Amino acid sequence: MLFAARSAVALYRLLDVSPVFSGDHRITRLFTLVPGSDFGVDVLSAIEAVGGRTVPWSEARARTHDLVVAASPKGDVPMLRGTHVLLPHGAGFNKSIPEEGSADSASGLDPVYLLRADDAAPIALHAVAHPDQLARLASVAPRAARNTKVIGDPTLERILASYPLRDRYRAALGTGPRKLLVLASTWGPESLIRRHPGLPARLATQLPHDEYQLALIVHPNERSRLGTYELTERLAPALDAGMILASPHEEWASVLIAADALVTDHGSTALYYAAAQDRPLVGVSRDCAELIPGSPMEVLLRHIPELASVEAIADAVRAYRPGPGQAAAQAAFAHQGSALTRLRTELYALLGLTPPTLGTPLRLLPDPAPATRAATAFDVHADVTAEGARIVRRPAGTGPPGHHLAVEHGAASEQLTRSAGLLYRRPPPSPDAPADLSWSAGGWTRHALAEYPGCRAAAAVRRDGPCLLDVRGHPQPYTVQVEPRSEGGRLARIDPAAALSAVHAWLITHRTQPAAPVSLTCHTGERAVRVLLRPATADEAGHDLGSVRWARP
């Protein structure tokens, strides 16, 4: 059988379907790149990445295939000989593409591409996701609707099946107790990333670091248009602030499951997000000429809050009321939970084969990758009280300076390091063999204060034990123990570096040198954690910094 892909997004939809033949030694899966698309540049590398066998287009045309599976009716796919199956490569058929096909037809349901010439291979099965899509097609092209069947959406099946892995995906991303805010951009001139190119950077630098994590999902066509290098360079300020750029194959769906809220344009990614769970949705760019009135996405955008400004993002998320997301998903997807099984039955019937008794068509989504870049220097704004401090950390240099500059030693530039008010060090990952030379906690803090005379305090960070804080001019270092906060049966742990900033600000503001234990409160957003401060023991100051593994949040 032959998987025929014109673009990367079409290929990824085909890969979601491939497991319907799992475990069947009678089936050989081949791939070919259908020429003619502006977005075909990433297809061959994507096939290679999954280890698929590629057939050159000239060879694919010369053969007769038992089954030709495509996720787009456009281009030269009809030239391939064999039994043709057409799958959707998006959800909802929400937009029409200007200057392409029929002006008023949804992309993917356009009779111009579905009604094939007499000498072309007919479509034996056109699988759609909802009865409304079949009705729309039958109303404009009854002949094209004859072999169309409502199957459901195979990609949605993977998302629904993988939803129980939400906590695992959040752990892989390093989200912790923060809210994961995801931006979703489709492709084309009306997409989020084209109409609001500065939005990712503004959100990444303005959202409080200890309250929010940011991720971006970009349509594969936009990646193909720009190339990954160009895309990441354009997004560099946001990526440097810790934003996650989800990969276009599988990972985007894992990130959707992990999300707490989604900011979306008119792309169909929002429908997959809404189908899994009714969580907050915020819209941008409702006034899209290519958005079809009455389509699931058009109705959804009319009924969810719209983002007025970066500063209003928290209010927009809170303004979402349950209902519109799930309603839109119901209007886009039928047979939720059984689409792959239904498709398997249809495909084996076309092949004239009995499906094997072993093998499952369902593959859970893999863990997403954490951010490859992260903020390592912060302008720390501190509202100090007698009981502690409220802390807001934002990447350094992206806004007004705060109470102090907190910098991670060994991860930030020398210029930022020498400007730090609080310099902290995270232990390196544990090596396979013991290190020949490593710092003790107290040894490093003393060294840092001597090496950087402008620094007022130095701290050695530990993830699960007490941190060591050495304040210039104080007679002894302190241990700082951050207690987890119980939240509905879970334990929420904040970044110890944030608590160290709170303690540092409290000590400097009150000009105190406590000789006895003190209980303080560190506030980050709506969360408050207890922090215990006391003079350090000799054993705590002598703790080996190379012995603790730390994963930066």
Side-chain angles (χ1 to χ4, degrees):
M1 62 171 298
L2 182 70
F3 289 119
R6 297 182 69 245
S7 64
V9 66
L11 173 67
Y12 299 142
R13 295 299 182 261
L14 297 177
L15 291 174
D16 283 337
V17 167
S18 177
V20 300
F21 301 108
S22 173
D24 196 334
H25 66 277
R26 299 168 296 178
I27 304 294
T28 300
R29 302 160 189 80
L30 304 175
F31 296 85
T32 194
L33 169 62
V34 182
S37 172
D38 294 336
F39 307 111
V41 64
D42 293 329
V43 174
L44 293 179
S45 59
I47 295 171
E48 183 178 359
V50 299
R53 181 183 171 190
T54 304
V55 176
W57 176 248
S58 57
E59 183 179 340
R61 280 194 59 191
R63 293 185 180 185
T64 297
H65 310 276
D66 294 307
L67 207 61
V68 176
V69 185
S72 171
K74 300 174 185 176
D76 293 336
V77 174
M79 300 173 68
L80 295 168
R81 297 201 299 267
T83 301
H84 281 230
V85 173
L86 177 61
L87 307 172
H89 70 261
F93 297 104
N94 302 290
K95 61 184 181 180
S96 59
I97 307 301
E99 302 177 0
E100 183 179 278
S102 306
D104 57 348
S105 288
S107 180
L109 291 180
D110 195 332
V112 169
Y113 302 106
L114 296 175
L115 292 173
R116 295 184 171 181
D118 292 339
D119 59 345
I123 299 173
L125 170 65
H126 181 188
V128 295
H130 194 276
D132 286 351
Q133 297 162 12
L134 175 55
R136 286 162 63 185
L137 180 59
S139 67
V140 295
R143 183 160 63 91
R146 289 174 188 167
N147 293 325
T148 301
K149 294 185 178 181
V150 180
I151 299 296
D153 190 288
T155 298
L156 177 64
E157 297 304 290
R158 299 190 69 192
I159 294 174
L160 295 177
S162 301
Y163 192 80
L165 280 66
R166 172 175 160 82
D167 285 348
R168 174 172 168 169
Y169 297 155
R170 291 173 65 86
L173 292 169
T175 305
R178 296 177 293 176
K179 294 181 177 69
L180 176 57
L181 179 67
V182 177
L183 307 178
S185 176
T186 187
W187 64 281
E190 296 189 318
S191 64
L192 181 152
I193 203 170
R194 297 255 211 119
R195 298 182 83 175
H196 308 281
L199 181 60
R202 293 200 302 274
L203 284 171
T205 56
Q206 294 307 305
L207 289 173
H209 176 79
D210 298 297
E211 298 174 51
Y212 290 92
Q213 184 182 38
L214 188 68
L216 173 64
I217 296 171
V218 177
H219 194 283
N221 284 359
E222 204 64 30
R223 283 177 173 263
S224 294
R225 182 182 72 89
L226 293 173
T228 299
Y229 174 79
E230 179 64 23
L231 177 63
T232 55
E233 285 300 302
R234 293 189 182 193
L235 294 171
L239 296 173
D240 290 341
M243 184 184 77
I244 293 162
L245 178 60
S247 73
H249 180 217
E250 299 182 316
E251 185 175 271
W252 67 272
S254 301
V255 169
L256 272 191
I257 291 172
D260 293 296
L262 184 75
V263 178
T264 182
D265 56 17
H266 59 294
S268 60
T269 297
L271 296 173
Y272 291 112
Y273 167 85
Q277 188 81 5
D278 200 344
R279 288 165 287 157
L281 277 156
V282 176
V284 294
S285 306
R286 291 178 180 172
D287 55 332
C288 297
E290 62 187 29
L291 188 58
I292 296 175
S295 64
M297 273 307 302
E298 192 273 336
V299 174
L300 176 63
L301 289 173
R302 277 196 280 115
H303 289 89
I304 61 175
E306 187 170 20
L307 184 61
S309 66
V310 169
E311 294 74 19
I313 180 63
D315 291 338
V317 170
R318 282 193 293 267
Y320 177 79
R321 295 294 177 266
Q326 294 275 279
Q330 291 294 331
F333 307 114
H335 304 305
Q336 296 184 25
S338 63
L340 275 170
T341 301
R342 295 170 67 86
L343 182 62
R344 189 181 199 226
T345 299
E346 294 290 342
L347 294 182
Y348 270 97
L350 289 175
L351 290 170
L353 296 174
T354 301
T357 56
L358 298 178
T360 172
L362 192 59
R363 303 278 169 82
L364 297 180
L365 294 164
D367 291 348
T372 56
R373 288 136 81 169
T376 54
F378 298 94
D379 283 317
V380 182
H381 297 261
D383 181 12
V384 180
T385 67
E387 294 77 24
R390 179 175 295 277
I391 293 296
V392 176
R393 297 192 299 168
R394 293 187 175 91
T398 61
H403 176 276
H404 63 271
L405 178 67
V407 178
E408 181 181 347
H409 183 269
S413 70
E414 180 69 5
Q415 180 183 8
L416 285 169
T417 301
R418 291 201 171 275
S419 301
L422 170 64
L423 193 62
Y424 60 93
R425 185 180 192 269
R426 301 191 194 274
S430 298
D432 294 333
D436 294 329
L437 186 67
S438 61
W439 284 107
S440 68
W444 182 80
T445 58
R446 291 192 299 272
H447 164 76
L449 291 175
E451 184 76 10
Y452 300 98
C455 180
R456 300 187 70 174
V461 176
R462 293 181 65 190
R463 177 67 174 95
D464 297 317
C467 304
L468 191 80
L469 176 66
D470 207 342
V471 181
R472 190 180 299 279
H474 287 220
Q476 80 289 310
Y478 304 96
T479 60
V480 177
Q481 179 74 51
V482 186
E483 294 191 347
R485 173 187 168 96
S486 179
E487 298 180 354
R490 297 187 179 193
L491 296 178
R493 294 179 173 87
I494 67 168
D495 182 358
L500 286 165
S501 275
V503 173
H504 168 65
W506 186 84
L507 290 170
I508 296 300
T509 300
H510 290 291
R511 300 177 184 272
T512 183
Q513 300 180 16
V518 178
S519 178
L520 302 174
T521 302
C522 173
H523 295 267
T524 56
E526 299 176 355
R527 182 171 283 109
V529 298
R530 188 167 176 244
V531 181
L532 301 179
L533 172 69
R534 58 178 172 77
T537 66
D539 285 345
E540 290 166 337
H543 179 80
D544 185 353
L545 284 184
S547 64
V548 177
R549 183 181 298 274
W550 167 256
R552 185 184 295 113

